C-alpha cells in the first residue's frame, strides 16, 4: 500500500447523520409517513383515522376506563387488532395531531409517556389507577393506558409492551425496506449528498466542489445502510464516498432494530429503564445482534459533521460520549452543522430551529462538564476559535 493510499485509509472526519439525510435523498422514512401509508390522510368515513377520531370524541369526557371504548375501536377497525399497541397509540395521536404537538416524534412521545407518574404505576401493575378520574391526564397518556389494559389484559405490562415494541420495530423495518426498494432515486441522492458532506470546510478559500472527498467514519442514526445504497447505485470503492468505518447505532432494516428512549434522565429503578436505547441495545446483543464492530471514534478525526439529525434529547447520551472522547472544550475538533433549505417559505424557521437546537445541545453538554465557567462559555469559545460552523448544502 502506497503512502497516498495509506493516508486515504485514515479518517479525518466523523459524519453523523439522522433521518433528515434519508428524507433529503427521497425516502419517506418518518414515523408520520409510516402511519399515513397504513391509514391514509383523508377524513372520510372509509378512513380508519376518521373512525377512531369519532370514537374518541364519543369518549373524550369519560373519566374512568370504560371498556366499551377499546371494544368500539377494535370492532370498527379490525385491521388494528392485527397490529401492535404502539402503532395503535401512534394512530390515536395522529387523530389528535392538532392538539398533540410533534405526535410523530415517536421517541420523544415515548419518553414523555413512559416517565409519566400514572403510567409508571401502570407499568408496576398498580391497577388502582384504572378506578380514578383521568380527565386531567394528557390525551396520549389516557389513550395509552386504555390500550395497554385492552391489549395486554392481565399480562405483565413491561414484558407485554416490550414484546409489542419488537412487533413495532419489525413493522417499521418492513416499511423502510419497501421504501428503499421503491425509490430508486435514493441511491443517486446518497451519492450526491455524501459528496457534499465529505468536502465541507476543507478549504474555505477554494471551491470545495473541486476537492476530493475527505476520508470519514460514519455514525448513522438511520436504519438504512449507506454502503448498500452506494453499491446499489453502482458507486465504486475508488469514489472516496465509502466510510472507512461505519455503524448504524440502532441497527438496520436487515438486522435487529432498536426504537427506544434516551437513558440520560431515567433512574435505574424506573420501570421505564427497560425501554431505553441503552438497555435494549444490550438486550439485542445478548440475543445475537452485535452491530458493526468497527471503531468509529478515531483519534485521527479533526472534524465532526452533523446532518439531518434533530439534535434532540433522545440521543444526548451519544453526543455526550462523543464530545467527552474528543475533549471538546480543550481540543481543536471542528463542529460543522450542515443543513438544507427544503422549503424556501420556511427558510427563516429552518435556520432558527437549527440555531436553537445547536445552542440547546451545547448548553446541555456544557452543563455536564462539572465546570460552571466552561459550561457557560463553551459555545462562545467554539465560535471564537472558529470551531463551530454552519453550512448550507
Amino acid at each position: 500500500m502506497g503512502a497516498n493510499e495509506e493516508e486515504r485509509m485514515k479518517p479525518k472526519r466523523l459524519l453523523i447523520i439522522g433521518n433528515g439525510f434519508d428524507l433529503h435523498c427521497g425516502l419517506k422514512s418518518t414515523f408520520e409517513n409510516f402511519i399515513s401509508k397504513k391509514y391514509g390522510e383523508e377524513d372520510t368515513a372509509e378512513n380508519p383515522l376518521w373512525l377512531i377520531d369519532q370514537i374518541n370524541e364519543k369518549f373524550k369526557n369519560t373519566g374512568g376506563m370504560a371498556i366499551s371504548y377499546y371494544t368500539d375501536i377494535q370492532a370498527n377497525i379490525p385491521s388494528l387488532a392485527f397490529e401492535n399497541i404502539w402503532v395503535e397509540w401512534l394512530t390515536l395521536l395522529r387523530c389528535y395531531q392538532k392538539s398533540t404537538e410533534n405526535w410523530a416524534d415517536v421517541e420523544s412521545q415515548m419518553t414523555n409517556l413512559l416517565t409519566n407518574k400514572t403510567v409508571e404505576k401502570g407499568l408496576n401493575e398498580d391497577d388502582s389507577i384504572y378506578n380514578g378520574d383521568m380527565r386531567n391526564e394528557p390525551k396520549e397518556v389516557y389513550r395509552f393506558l386504555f390500550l395497554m389494559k385492552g391489549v395486554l389484559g392481565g399480562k405483565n405490562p413491561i414484558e407485554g409492551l416490550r414484546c409489542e415494541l419488537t412487533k413495532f420495530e419489525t413493522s417499521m423495518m418492513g416499511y423502510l425496506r419497501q421504501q428503499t426498494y421503491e425509490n430508486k432515486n435514493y441511491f443517486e441522492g446518497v451519492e450526491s449528498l455524501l459528496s457534499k458532506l465529505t468536502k465541507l470546510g476543507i478549504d474555505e478559500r477554494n471551491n470545495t466542489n473541486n476537492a476530493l472527498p475527505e476520508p470519514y467514519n460514519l455514525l448513522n442514526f438511520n436504519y438504512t445502510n449507506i454502503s448498500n445504497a452506494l453499491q446499489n447505485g453502482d458507486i465504486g470503492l475508488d469514489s472516496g464516498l465509502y466510510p472507512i468505518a461505519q455503524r448504524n447505532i440502532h441497527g438496520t432494516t436487515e438486522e435487529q432494530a432498536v426504537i427506544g428512549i434516551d437513558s440520560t434522565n431515567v433512574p435505574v429503578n424506573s420501570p421505564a429503564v427497560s425501554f431505553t436505547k441503552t438497555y435494549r441495545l444490550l438486550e439485542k446483543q445478548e440475543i445475537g445482534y452485535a452491530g458493526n464492530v468497527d471503531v468509529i471514534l478515531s483519534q485521527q478525526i479533526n472534524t465532526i459533521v452533523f446532518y439531518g439529525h434533530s439534535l434532540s434529547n433522545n440521543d444526548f447520551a451519544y453526543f455526550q460520549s462523543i464530545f467527552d472522547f474528543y475533549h471538546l472544550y480543550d481540543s481543536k475538533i471542528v463542529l460543522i452543522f450542515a443543513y438544507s433549505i427544503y422549503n424556501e417559505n420556511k427558510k427563516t424557521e429552518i435556520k432558527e430551529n437549527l440555531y436553537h437546537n445547536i445552542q440547546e445541545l451545547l448548553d446541555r453538554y456544557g452543563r455536564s462538564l462539572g465546570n460552571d465557567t466552561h459550561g457557560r462559555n463553551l459555545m462562545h469559545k467554539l465560535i471564537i476559535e472558529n470551531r463551530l460552523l454552519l453550512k448550507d448544502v
Side-chain angles (χ1 to χ4, degrees), residues 136-364:
N136 291 328
E137 290 288 357
K139 288 186 179 73
E140 53 268 29
V141 168
Y142 176 87
R143 305 306 178 193
F144 184 82
L145 285 170
F146 198 120
L147 288 173
M148 186 171 77
K149 195 66 174 176
V151 173
L152 303 181
K155 295 180 182 177
N156 178 281
I158 294 177
E159 292 180 5
L161 289 177
R162 285 169 56 189
C163 180
E164 291 290 299
L165 189 54
T166 298
K167 294 179 184 177
F168 179 33
E169 292 163 345
T170 301
S171 183
M172 184 69 188
M173 293 312 104
Y175 167 76
L176 288 176
R177 284 194 298 272
Q178 182 182 9
Q179 277 295 303
T180 304
Y181 176 79
E182 291 178 351
N183 291 274
K184 301 304 181 183
N185 292 336
Y186 172 67
F187 310 125
E188 295 178 4
V190 169
E191 177 188 7
S192 174
L193 190 50
L194 281 179
S195 181
K196 296 174 182 177
L197 295 176
T198 53
K199 299 174 184 179
L200 281 179
I202 292 178
D203 187 346
E204 296 299 326
R205 294 168 299 180
N206 296 325
N207 184 349
T208 56
N209 289 327
N210 295 325
L212 292 173
E214 191 170 55
Y216 70 101
N217 287 349
L218 175 69
L219 184 60
N220 193 344
F221 282 84
N222 300 325
Y223 302 106
T224 45
N225 188 302
I226 291 299
S227 292
N228 286 349
L230 291 171
Q231 291 169 2
N232 289 336
D234 296 326
I235 309 302
L237 288 172
D238 59 352
S239 66
L241 298 181
Y242 281 82
I244 304 301
Q246 63 177 316
R247 183 166 187 181
N248 286 66
I249 192 63
H250 298 142
T252 72
T253 56
E254 307 300 330
E255 302 168 336
Q256 293 282 348
V258 167
I259 297 172
I261 65 177
D262 184 71
S263 61
T264 307
N265 294 320
V266 179
V268 293
N269 60 346
S270 168
V273 74
S274 63
F275 298 93
T276 62
K277 293 174 182 175
T278 303
Y279 186 99
R280 302 202 70 245
L281 283 169
L282 186 62
E283 183 181 42
K284 297 294 187 184
Q285 289 175 342
E286 185 180 11
I287 63 174
Y289 167 64
N292 193 312
V293 297
D294 290 344
V295 179
I296 299 298
L297 303 183
S298 167
Q299 293 287 1
Q300 298 164 322
I301 287 171
N302 52 46
T303 303
I304 301 176
V305 181
F306 296 83
Y307 183 85
H309 197 292
S310 66
L311 310 178
S312 70
N313 290 335
N314 298 325
D315 295 311
F316 177 74
Y318 295 116
F319 299 139
Q320 183 178 25
S321 299
I322 293 169
F323 292 161
D324 282 348
F325 180 85
Y326 288 110
H327 305 286
L328 181 61
Y329 188 89
D330 295 315
S331 72
K332 296 188 180 300
I333 285 284
V334 174
L335 304 182
I336 299 179
F337 292 90
Y339 66 96
S340 298
I341 303 298
Y342 55 84
N343 185 335
E344 284 296 329
N345 295 327
K346 294 185 177 182
K347 185 173 183 178
T348 300
E349 179 184 345
I350 292 170
K351 288 187 175 183
E352 288 181 349
N353 285 339
L354 177 62
Y355 301 156
H356 172 78
N357 292 342
I358 292 172
Q359 187 169 16
E360 191 173 73
L361 170 65
L362 294 177
D363 178 69
R364 185 176 180 187

